[in-house]
Amino acid sequence: MNIGEAAKATGVSAKMIRHYESVGLIQPADRAESGYRVYSAADVSTLRFIRRARDLNFSMERIGQLLALWRDRGRASADVKRIAMEQVEMLEARMRELEEMAGTLRHLARNCHGDDRPDCPIIGSLSDGSAAAEPVARTRRRPANALTKVGGIR
C-alpha cells in the first residue's frame, strides 16, 4: 500500500510516517518503480503500535525502546512493565500539575468580578504572579463602548 493508504489504515498522517522513517522508528519503506513508498502489513502494524503509544503520551525515545522490546521475542516482560510504570508516574505527575493549574484558575475566576470594571485578579496574576498586582486603574471610568486612543489613532 502507498503512504496515503497506510496513513488512512493507521490514523498516522503521511507527514508523520515520513518523520518516523527519518528518525528510525520505522524502516525505510520499499519503493515502487515509480519511486513511491510501498508499505507492508508489518509496516502498518508498526505504525499502529506507534500510534497507540503516542496516544498514551510516550516520548519518541520510549516508543523506540518499546518497539525494540516488541520485536525481541526473548524480552523480559519486566522491562516492558518498568517502562509502562514510569509512564504512569509521569502521567500522574502531569495530572497533579494540571489539577493545580485548574485550581489556581478556578480561584482567580471566583475572585474576578466579571463586570465592566478593569480590576481583575486573573490579569494581575498573569502580569507578575500576584492577584494584587493590578496596574493602576484609570482615574475616570468610561463606558465600555467609548472610543479610546490606541496607537495614536482615535
Side-chain angles (χ1 to χ4, degrees):
M1 74 177 52
N2 67 30
I3 196 167
E5 293 165 333
K8 188 174 181 179
T10 62
V12 176
S13 71
K15 180 178 179 179
M16 287 308 296
I17 292 171
R18 287 188 292 273
H19 175 69
Y20 295 152
E21 187 177 309
S22 74
V23 298
L25 281 182
I26 61 172
Q27 295 297 314
D30 292 332
R31 299 284 180 147
E33 285 185 30
S34 62
Y36 289 108
R37 290 174 168 88
V38 178
Y39 294 90
S40 68
D43 295 328
V44 169
S45 291
T46 301
L47 288 167
R48 285 186 180 131
F49 183 102
I50 293 168
R51 171 65 191 256
R52 287 190 296 267
R54 292 296 293 156
D55 288 346
L56 293 172
N57 205 36
F58 280 100
S59 68
M60 300 292 264
E61 178 184 345
R62 287 295 192 179
I63 293 171
Q65 293 169 350
L66 288 167
L67 282 168
L69 289 167
W70 182 46
R71 292 175 181 133
D72 178 5
R73 299 304 301 163
R75 69 182 169 262
S77 63
D79 295 334
V80 180
K81 183 176 181 175
R82 179 185 48 77
I83 292 171
M85 293 310 297
E86 289 171 357
Q87 183 69 7
V88 168
E89 290 173 12
M90 188 278 305
L91 290 170
E92 288 174 342
R94 183 68 179 143
M95 288 186 323
R96 286 189 298 275
E97 292 171 4
L98 290 170
E99 282 294 327
E100 288 176 18
M101 286 185 251
T104 298
L105 284 171
R106 197 175 298 110
H107 170 76
L108 291 169
R110 272 194 307 262
N111 290 292
C112 179
H113 295 287
D115 55 18
D116 64 346
R117 294 181 296 173
D119 301 329
C120 179
I122 301 166
I123 296 296
S125 177
L126 293 173
S127 68
D128 79 351
S130 72
E134 278 290 31
V136 176
R138 292 179 273 199
T139 56
R140 188 180 106 206
R141 282 188 64 206
R142 288 178 246 169
N145 64 352
L147 295 175
T148 58
K149 188 173 182 177
V150 178
I153 301 172
R154 186 174 285 251

